[in-house]
Amino acid sequence: MVFVFIFSAILIVGSISYIARLFKRDHEIRAHGRDIRALVEDVRHLGSNDGGSVNIKYCLSWQEGGVTKSVEGRDTISSFRSSRVQKGCEVDIKYLGDDHIMFVFDE
């Protein structure tokens, strides 16, 4: 019985820590990320959910100091905005590092 309580507490604390880490990461990207206009080299739709979001895998590139910078990643975007993230399109992103990218969509 004690094991169940300890296991439950670990799951709850772990879940809250993970969510807090995501909020902190998003805040850091918004506050310190560079605004970049990137070209969508490739995008694959991995799936969707009932909330109207699409999971994608993407490859983006842009010119920086005469060198082409390229990054790959996964993200979840609304299905309404998925038409803006297609191969050959340019997208606005906030870039803080290869694992810290956020798509920026004008409202």
Side-chain angles (χ1 to χ4, degrees):
M1 188 71 152
V2 172
F3 175 75
V4 172
F5 288 122
I6 292 173
F7 185 71
S8 298
I10 290 171
L11 281 177
I12 291 170
V13 169
S15 298
I16 292 171
S17 297
Y18 178 73
I19 291 169
R21 186 176 66 115
L22 290 177
F23 275 106
K24 182 178 185 250
R25 177 183 160 262
D26 284 352
H27 174 73
E28 287 177 2
I29 293 170
R30 288 179 209 269
H32 304 293
R34 295 183 292 142
D35 293 320
I36 295 177
R37 185 110 175 128
L39 175 68
V40 179
E41 297 287 341
D42 190 28
V43 64
R44 293 193 185 117
H45 293 263
L46 302 176
S48 59
N49 62 33
D50 294 337
S53 296
V54 177
N55 300 318
I56 61 170
K57 181 177 180 182
Y58 59 84
C59 179
L60 306 174
S61 68
W62 64 91
Q63 292 290 322
E64 191 170 63
V67 177
T68 301
K69 175 76 174 164
S70 181
V71 294
E72 293 184 8
R74 294 174 185 239
D75 205 347
T76 301
I77 59 175
S78 76
S79 57
F80 176 73
R81 294 184 171 135
S82 66
S83 63
R84 297 183 188 176
V85 185
Q86 298 296 321
K87 185 175 182 175
C89 294
E90 289 190 342
V91 293
D92 294 318
I93 61 171
K94 285 273 197 182
Y95 178 81
L96 189 59
D98 288 353
D99 294 329
H100 295 81
I101 298 170
M102 178 183 292
F103 287 97
V104 178
F105 298 104
D106 294 329
E107 299 301 325

